[in-house]
């Protein structure tokens, strides 16, 4: 393998050759960008016209804007690879495909997702796939800074070219792994490995589970799979979108730039806590409470809670109607309730049946009362008379209000708040539960938040379940939107009528007939459309605001943490069951999480799913992984320890102290190269954070719990009090396993008591 160094880069003739091609690629890309900007400008200057024209304009504007974003994102290492085939063909690989239409659509750059690019990731000396040489090109801005060549066939192939099994582009890979972390995940488009590529490009249209230990690139594979699927199935997925579910907001911020750097922006990234429109769940709660809320028992509990709102009057209620007193009693409500429940429709959707049935019974009763009061007591009212009475009753607001008291319209947020703060309601709905589990559900009353911040992430699947049970956000939402449009249309017509009526007659007589008034230029529908706030939205943005949106593909990262209730919520959003599920069951921290993929998937796809494993640990050096592997053995699951790709000669160390906080502040002041993070048991987070913040450091490291550092990585990690980390949860060893495997370079363990047996021989500083 030959490579340039900083000293030889300026004199390497290979760089001149690749620089010339890179300049040609960028020249074409700049022209494409300029043409797109002109089209966007022309779109923006067009008149609005009808709502349909507005919609078309916004569609074009969105398309051009996304194209510009793709071109801008491609500036980062646009051209990174080249394949020289045995037959002399040269293929140049980049982040996006670039054609030169001035030269008969000559391919200047192949998109990394194109089938012809695949040998760049798969070819090895043992299986060269007709590749004679693979070239890795390092660029900065628009300049080629270095080149490394790997001979795959011919007499120049040496033992050093083989590398570690299926690992390709090893020098570029190791360089990327050793680079300092910045707090944002970078893509791996230049260094995708064979086992990763096979998953990224999988054609399986069902559920694919990617099981892999720490540092095996599970998240990177998921994100690149999303980009690949959008490239391969653009027509389908551009309409339905891709949903990526991650464990926490820090994780989403960490991965947020990966897809834009690959030229893709139409993907919705969300946590479970943000999947219900209008709710941003931020409230903290105990692990015990989250575990209770995550269990499938909650389905029946919520059903009982909804049925409890379909109540009966404790005593008869008298309501005035047309000079008479009509009675609403239990017998009447039971008849109406039975008919509404027999429809098997969701609660809100069945209210219309309930009210109609109640009015039918009331009208029949009232007709008998009227008939009995007539001079001829045997006289009966006709069916037409009874129908008229029912219609009159239906228009009586007081009577309708009295009826719907026993079958009210419900909203999930209000319903869940009311239920969780009502001890008696919880007791009635949790037959057979222990007192401890019931107490875990109960929460104090208020204060409520308009954006749902008073809910916890474990509450969000309950909100979604309630929305299904009561029929929230479906038919009613569409009907409300139609009513809103009719009101806006009427208001627009009123405005035009005012304009027409307010123009003085003598002024109109004096005006030049060629001068047009406002009401000559626009009708009510156009005015209403222009008054409506129009915002150009991507597929992801539209999906975020629609609870009933179904996606074309769903990717779930750190999937082992999802509760059974969370899985129900996610499965509603992917009826076609085309999913990529990523996780490591050995890292399950949540008591409501899973240790078995089959157990999770059986209710939804039976045995129709496939398991793929990632086995190479690209993140964690072998020195750290030796200790983490001992913890994995203590966990005792079927997971295979991943093999570390590299060692870095930095041994983990332990620090014994009587003052954890003071020692943490002292270690935080050290100038370790790269990004440093502290990982602590939950009881210590506030204490350690205060100690580090009080040290007056210009850029203090962040303090994480195991929950908040899920999926993240740092150059250096400082793990505090591992024994307490084990004790804080029934899955404490999984917590420790996660904490030990976040580092790419250095691990420091601070403790005051004895270390767990698995770390007992840790060298002491």
């Amino acid at each position: 393998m030959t490579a340039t160094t900083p000293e030889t880069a300026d004199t390497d003739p290979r760089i001149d050759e690749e620089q010339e091609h890179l300049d040609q690629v960028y020249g074409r890309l700049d022209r494409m960008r300029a043409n797109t900007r002109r089209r966007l400008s022309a779109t923006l200057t067009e008149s609005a016209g009808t709502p349909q024209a507005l919609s078309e304009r916004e569609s074009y504007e969105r398309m051009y804007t996304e194209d510009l974003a793709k071109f801008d994102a491609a500036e980062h290492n646009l051209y990174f690879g080249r394949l020289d085939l045995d037959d002399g063909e040269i293929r140049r690989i980049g982040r996006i495909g670039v054609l030169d239409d001035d030269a008969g659509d000559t391919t200047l750059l192949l998109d990394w997702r194109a089938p012809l690019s695949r040998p760049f990731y798969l070819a090895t000396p043992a299986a060269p796939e007709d590749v004679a040489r693979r070239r890795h090109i390092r660029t900065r801005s628009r300049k080629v800074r270095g080149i490394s060549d790997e001979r795959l066939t011919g007499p120049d192939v040496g033992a050093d070219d083989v590398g570690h099994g299926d690992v390709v582009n090893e020098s570029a890979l190791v360089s990327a792994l050793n680079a300092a972390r910045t707090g944002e995940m970078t893509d791996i488009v230049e260094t995708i490995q064979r086992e990763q590529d096979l998953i990224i490009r999988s054609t399986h249209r069902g559920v694919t589970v990617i099981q892999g230990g720490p540092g095996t690139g599970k998240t990177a594979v998921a994100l690149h799979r999303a980009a690949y699927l959008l490239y391969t199935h653009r027509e389908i997925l551009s309409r339905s979108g891709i949903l990526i579910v991650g464990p926490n907001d820090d994780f989403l911020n960490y991965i947020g730039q990966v897809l834009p750097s690959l030229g893709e922006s139409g993907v919705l990234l969300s946590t479970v806590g943000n999947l219900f429109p209008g709710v941003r769940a931020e409230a903290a709660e105990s692990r015990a409470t989250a575990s209770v809320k995550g269990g499938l028992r909650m389905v029946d509990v919520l059903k009982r809670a909804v049925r409890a709102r379909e109540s009966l009057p404790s005593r008869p209620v008298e309501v005035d109607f047309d000079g008479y007193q009509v009675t609403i009693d239990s017998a009447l409500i039971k008849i109406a309730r039975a008919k509404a429940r027999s429809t098997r429709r969701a609660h809100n959707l069945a209210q219309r049946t309930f009210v109609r049935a109640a009015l039918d019974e009331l009208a029949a009763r009232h007709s008998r009362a009227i008939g009995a009061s007539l001079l001829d007591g045997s006289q009966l009212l006709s069916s037409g008379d009874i129908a008229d009475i029912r219609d009159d009753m239906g228009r009586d607001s007081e009577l309708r209000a009295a009826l719907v008291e026993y079958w009210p319209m419900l909203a999930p947020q209000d319903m869940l708040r009311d239920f969780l703060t009502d001890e008696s309601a919880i007791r009635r709905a949790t037959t057979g539960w222990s007192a401890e589990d019931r107490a875990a559900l109960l929460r104090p009353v208020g204060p409520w938040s308009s954006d749902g911040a008073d809910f916890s992430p474990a509450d969000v699947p309950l909100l979604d379940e309630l929305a299904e049970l009561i029929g929230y956000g479906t038919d009613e939402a569409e009907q409300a939107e139609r009513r809103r449009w009719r009101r806006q249309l009427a208001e627009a017509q009123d405005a035009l009528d005012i304009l027409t009526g307010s123009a003085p007659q003598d002024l109109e007589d004096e005006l030049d007939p060629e001068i047009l008034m406002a009401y000559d230029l626009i009708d009510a529908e156009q005015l209403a459309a222009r008054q409506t706030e129009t915002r150009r939205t991507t597929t992801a943005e539209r999906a975020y605001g629609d609870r009933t949106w179904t996606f074309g593909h769903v990717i779930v990262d750190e999937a082992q943490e999802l509760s059974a209730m969370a899985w129900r919520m996610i499965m509603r959003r992917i009826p076609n069951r085309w999913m990529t599920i990523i996780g490591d069951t050995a890292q399950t921290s949540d008591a409501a999480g899973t240790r078995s993929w089959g157990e999770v998937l059986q209710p939804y796809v039976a045995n129709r799913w496939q398991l793929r494993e990632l086995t190479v640990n690209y993140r964690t050096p072998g020195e750290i992984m030796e200790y983490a592997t001992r913890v994995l053995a203590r966990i005792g699951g079927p997971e295979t320890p991943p093999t570390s790709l590299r060692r870095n000669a930095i041994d983990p160390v332990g620090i014994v102290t009587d003052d954890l906080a003071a020692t943490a502040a002292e270690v935080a002041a050290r100038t370790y190269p790269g990004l440093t993070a502290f990982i602590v048991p939950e009881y210590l987070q506030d204490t350690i954070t205060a100690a580090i913040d009080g040290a007056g450091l210009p850029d203090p490291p962040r303090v994480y719990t195991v929950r908040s550092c899920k999926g993240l990585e740092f150059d250096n990690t400082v793990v505090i009090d591992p024994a307490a980390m084990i004790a804080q949860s029934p899955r404490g060893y999984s917590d420790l396993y996660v904490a030990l495997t976040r580092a790419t370079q250095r691990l420091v363990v601070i403790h005051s008591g004895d270390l767990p047996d698995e770390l007992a021989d840790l060298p002491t500083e």
Side-chain angles (χ1 to χ4, degrees):
M1 183 180 295
T2 58
T4 58
T5 66
E7 292 76 17
T8 63
D10 292 337
T11 60
D12 193 329
R14 297 175 300 171
I15 286 185
D16 293 335
E17 175 190 1
E18 301 300 355
Q19 183 65 55
E20 180 180 356
H21 189 77
L22 183 60
D23 291 342
Q24 184 182 10
V25 170
Y26 267 111
R28 181 64 193 143
L29 190 66
D30 287 340
R31 287 176 56 190
M32 294 165 65
R33 182 188 281 109
N35 289 338
T36 300
R37 289 190 187 281
R38 282 195 293 271
R39 295 189 187 103
L40 177 58
S41 178
T43 298
L44 292 174
T45 57
E46 291 178 358
S47 60
T50 65
Q52 181 179 1
L54 274 172
S55 176
E56 292 175 355
R57 168 186 161 178
E58 289 169 8
S59 176
Y60 282 115
E61 186 176 350
R62 184 166 57 248
M63 177 181 68
Y64 295 143
T65 302
E66 289 176 355
D67 282 347
L68 287 173
K70 177 176 68 175
F71 297 146
D72 292 341
E75 292 278 355
H76 175 65
N77 292 350
L78 172 61
Y79 172 29
F80 60 81
R82 167 174 155 170
L83 294 173
D84 294 1
L85 303 190
D86 290 334
D87 62 5
E89 180 187 353
I90 294 176
R91 298 177 188 170
R92 291 181 167 90
I93 318 298
R95 292 175 176 277
I96 63 173
V98 179
L99 297 177
D100 186 357
D101 54 14
D102 293 335
D105 283 342
T106 300
T107 300
L108 296 176
L109 206 60
L110 274 171
D111 192 298
W112 68 275
R113 297 165 287 190
L116 291 177
S117 299
R118 200 170 189 190
F120 184 77
Y121 302 109
L122 298 184
T124 65
E129 302 199 20
D130 299 324
V131 177
R133 179 177 65 181
R134 172 172 44 227
R135 173 169 291 176
H136 189 84
I137 299 135
R138 296 185 296 280
T139 63
R140 184 180 303 156
S141 297
R142 298 192 174 200
K143 292 290 184 182
V144 178
R145 307 302 298 173
I147 284 176
S148 61
D149 283 340
E150 183 182 4
R151 296 281 181 180
L152 301 180
T153 59
D156 295 331
V157 177
D160 292 341
D161 295 317
V162 177
H164 292 75
D166 287 337
V167 174
V168 300
N169 294 330
E170 187 169 337
S171 63
L173 175 60
V174 173
S175 175
L177 296 177
N178 286 327
R181 267 49 191 169
T182 64
E184 289 185 349
M185 185 179 185
T186 57
D187 62 70
I188 59 167
V189 65
E190 303 170 46
T191 57
I192 294 170
Q193 300 303 303
R194 172 184 286 271
E195 68 172 4
Q196 296 170 330
D197 186 82
L198 293 172
I199 297 170
I200 290 169
R201 299 175 193 258
S202 171
T203 59
H204 183 61
R205 292 296 292 264
V207 176
T208 297
V209 176
I210 304 172
Q211 164 75 35
T216 53
K218 300 184 296 296
T219 297
V221 167
L223 295 173
H224 289 70
R225 177 155 174 76
Y228 173 77
L229 292 175
L230 284 167
Y231 174 85
T232 308
H233 305 281
R234 176 79 60 185
E235 184 176 349
I236 297 172
L237 295 178
S238 63
R239 295 193 303 268
S240 58
I242 292 178
L243 169 66
I244 297 180
V245 180
N248 52 60
D249 287 333
D250 282 335
F251 174 83
L252 297 185
N253 292 333
Y254 173 61
I255 69 173
Q257 293 305 308
V258 174
L259 284 166
S261 75
L262 298 173
E264 299 295 349
S265 59
V267 175
L268 176 61
L269 277 65
S270 179
T271 64
V272 166
N274 294 338
L275 268 182
F276 193 89
V279 171
R280 188 169 183 83
E282 297 177 349
E285 63 186 359
S286 70
R287 292 191 182 212
T289 296
S291 177
V292 170
K293 290 179 178 178
L296 286 178
R297 292 185 300 174
M298 289 302 300
V299 176
D300 288 335
V301 168
L302 295 176
K303 286 179 180 178
R304 295 187 196 112
V306 171
R307 288 176 74 90
R309 300 299 296 271
E310 300 162 2
S311 59
L312 297 172
S314 57
R315 53 187 172 77
V317 176
E318 302 290 337
V319 181
D320 290 331
F321 170 71
D322 197 24
Y324 293 88
Q325 290 282 310
V326 295
T327 302
I328 299 174
D329 55 21
S330 291
L332 180 140
I333 297 300
K334 283 181 179 179
I335 292 171
R337 190 172 66 174
K339 289 188 177 179
R341 287 177 175 174
S342 69
T343 66
R344 298 188 178 276
R345 304 190 74 198
H347 173 90
N348 286 358
L349 305 184
Q351 189 197 62
R352 184 177 179 182
T353 301
F354 171 83
V355 172
R356 185 177 182 86
L359 291 174
D360 284 343
E361 179 64 18
L362 272 178
R365 287 184 180 184
H366 189 55
S367 69
R368 289 194 294 271
I370 293 174
S373 67
L374 295 176
L375 291 178
D376 182 359
S378 63
Q379 182 177 351
L380 297 177
L381 298 185
S382 68
S383 58
D385 294 330
I386 297 174
D388 289 341
I389 292 173
R390 184 194 62 217
D391 293 343
D392 289 341
M393 286 181 166
R395 288 188 286 269
D396 189 304
S397 58
E398 182 181 356
L399 184 55
R400 288 184 66 90
L403 289 173
V404 298
E405 183 75 19
Y406 305 103
W407 195 289
M409 295 293 285
L410 302 175
Q413 293 94 318
D414 295 337
M415 175 76 193
L416 188 60
R417 285 175 177 136
D418 291 344
F419 176 70
L420 294 179
T421 55
D422 187 336
E423 186 174 3
S424 61
I426 291 174
R427 186 172 57 255
R428 289 192 298 269
T430 55
T431 304
W433 282 37
S434 68
E436 291 78 8
D437 285 351
R438 286 175 178 159
L441 282 184
L442 186 65
R443 59 179 280 187
V445 177
W448 309 141
S449 172
S450 60
D451 63 356
D454 57 295
F455 289 114
S456 72
D459 287 327
V460 172
L462 307 187
L463 290 171
D464 202 67
E465 192 74 31
L466 281 171
E468 288 292 306
L469 292 172
I470 67 179
Y472 177 81
T474 52
D475 294 353
E476 285 73 22
E478 294 177 4
Q479 293 167 6
E481 178 61 22
R482 287 195 290 269
R483 290 194 296 270
R484 183 203 62 78
W485 172 253
R486 287 196 294 269
R487 286 196 304 270
Q488 194 160 358
L489 192 62
E491 291 167 2
Q493 185 62 60
D494 289 343
L496 288 176
D497 291 343
I498 292 171
L499 285 173
T500 303
S502 64
Q505 185 62 45
D506 55 350
L507 178 59
E508 289 195 351
D509 292 340
E510 294 175 7
L511 284 175
D512 188 321
E514 296 300 320
I515 298 177
L516 300 177
M517 301 294 285
Y519 43 80
D520 295 316
L521 297 172
I522 191 168
D523 62 21
E525 186 172 2
Q526 291 170 319
L527 179 59
R530 290 190 179 188
Q531 289 176 324
T532 302
E533 180 183 358
T534 56
R535 184 170 67 92
R536 296 175 299 278
T537 58
T538 64
T539 297
E541 289 169 330
R542 295 195 302 276
Y544 183 73
D546 184 354
R547 189 192 70 82
T548 62
W549 188 280
T550 56
F551 293 86
H553 191 83
V554 168
I555 295 173
V556 185
D557 206 342
E558 299 292 342
Q560 75 278 354
E561 300 301 325
L562 267 61
S563 69
M565 292 299 293
W567 280 112
R568 284 175 66 87
M569 177 174 64
I570 287 174
M571 289 299 181
R572 292 187 190 107
R573 285 150 177 78
I574 186 69
N576 67 8
R577 301 294 191 259
W578 188 19
M579 305 177 71
T580 304
I581 295 171
I582 298 114
D584 178 15
T585 49
Q587 296 185 59
T588 304
S589 295
D590 198 310
T594 185
R595 290 298 307 273
S596 167
W597 299 120
E599 182 181 300
V600 165
L601 296 173
Q602 177 69 30
Y604 304 104
V605 295
N607 296 319
R608 300 184 301 277
W609 57 279
Q610 64 172 4
L611 176 68
R612 308 292 290 273
E613 288 195 77
L614 294 171
T615 60
V616 178
N617 187 335
Y618 303 98
R619 175 202 301 148
T620 315
E623 291 85 349
I624 298 175
M625 202 61 202
E626 287 178 8
Y627 293 94
T629 300
R630 299 177 189 174
V631 176
L632 177 62
R634 179 62 178 265
I635 294 170
E639 299 83 8
T640 302
T643 303
S644 291
L645 179 68
R646 76 198 203 287
R647 300 180 71 87
N648 65 354
I650 303 176
D651 289 325
V653 297
I655 301 175
V656 184
T657 180
D658 292 330
D659 191 334
L660 294 173
T663 304
E666 180 184 311
V667 172
R670 298 179 182 180
T671 55
Y672 292 136
L675 192 65
T676 299
F678 283 68
I679 305 176
V680 303
E682 291 162 8
Y683 87 97
L684 274 177
Q685 185 173 24
D686 292 342
T687 302
I688 301 299
T689 300
I692 292 175
D693 289 345
L697 303 175
D699 188 18
R702 283 193 59 181
V703 179
Y704 295 87
T705 64
V706 171
R707 287 197 204 185
S708 61
C709 76
K710 285 278 183 178
L712 306 183
E713 63 180 15
F714 315 95
D715 297 286
N716 317 288
T717 57
V718 182
V719 176
I720 299 182
D721 200 354
M725 202 170 283
I726 292 172
Q728 73 184 0
S729 163
R731 290 179 169 169
Y733 276 96
S734 292
D735 286 351
L736 180 59
Y737 184 55
V738 172
L740 295 177
T741 54
R742 299 304 95 194
T744 66
Q745 301 295 338
R746 178 180 284 99
L747 171 66
V748 177
V749 177
I750 300 176
H751 61 104
S752 56
D754 292 337
L755 286 171
D757 291 344
E758 292 74 18
L759 305 179
D761 60 347
L762 198 67
T764 302
E765 183 175 285

